Amino acid sequence: MVVEIDLAGELNRIVSSLGHLGAVKCCRIEKDFDPGLPKVSCDPVQIEQVFRNLIVNAVQAMENSTRRDLKISLRSAVEDGAVEAVVYDSGAGIAPEHMDQIFEPFFTTKSKGKGTGLGLPIVKTIVDRHKGSIEVASEVGRGTRIAIQLPLCSLGQDLPYG
């Protein structure tokens, strides 16, 4: 069900709900949300899945890092008609030769038992379904930055899908 949501409130709730995970407890989490962000049109269950996947991936990428910084930011991108959410981790990063494959189902660089290779493909599918966009920047040994733009709500405008 697509509704108008406060993405900052949703992200606060999601981060709080993941606090029980041992790996999350070992991270320094920094949230930087612009105040007064406009609402976005989305399915809150699917958006929760997007950010849970991104945060869990980020935490897993930092398991062997000495620095474990997880940064989540929200910015208004009104000129683009969107809100931009960025998840950054200081983990292992993604090798350049793997960047073209990260959204392919079942592709994973994680060790056996650590992942199915479905997280990022699901994230991309949901973001696409919401008429949003996703950009990934990564540097081996320095971390990964994933930026998602989701369309703003607009009176009289159709919701992204459904």
Side-chain angles (χ1 to χ4, degrees), residues 3-8 10 37-44 47 153:
V3 297
E4 295 180 5
I5 68 163
D6 165 20
L7 198 53
E10 276 298 300
L37 286 167
K39 291 186 176 184
V40 295
S41 300
C42 63
D43 179 326
I47 291 304
C153 291

Side-chain angles (χ1 to χ4, degrees), residues 96-124:
E97 62 270 19
H98 295 144
M99 289 296 285
D100 289 342
Q101 299 170 285
I102 62 173
F103 295 119
E104 292 178 13
F106 306 110
F107 175 79
T108 184
T109 59
K110 295 177 185 173
S111 59
K112 190 170 181 154
K114 285 283 186 178
T116 61
L118 292 175
L120 287 178
I122 288 170
V123 165
K124 175 120 174 63

Side-chain angles (χ1 to χ4, degrees), residues 2-75:
V2 178
V3 297
E4 295 180 5
I5 68 163
D6 165 20
L7 198 53
E10 276 298 300
L11 275 169
N12 278 322
R13 187 185 62 72
I14 293 165
V15 170
S16 178
S17 75
L18 290 171
H20 70 282
L21 294 176
V24 174
K25 290 179 183 178
C26 296
C27 294
R28 186 177 73 88
I29 300 173
E30 178 185 327
K31 293 183 280 183
D32 181 18
F33 301 164
D34 278 355
L37 286 167
K39 291 186 176 184
V40 295
S41 300
C42 63
D43 179 326
V45 172
Q46 291 185 4
I47 291 304
E48 179 174 354
Q49 187 172 15
V50 164
F51 288 103
R52 278 184 176 272
N53 278 334
L54 293 179
I55 291 167
V56 168
N57 277 357
V59 168
Q60 288 175 344
M62 295 186 287
E63 284 179 346
N64 296 319
S65 298
T66 55
R67 210 176 90 236
R68 295 182 181 161
D69 295 327
L70 174 64
K71 297 178 184 173
I72 304 168
S73 67
L74 287 174
R75 300 273 178 267

Side-chain angles (χ1 to χ4, degrees), residues 80-96:
D80 296 325
V83 169
E84 181 179 66
V86 176
V87 177
Y88 163 81
D89 70 71
S90 60
I94 303 166

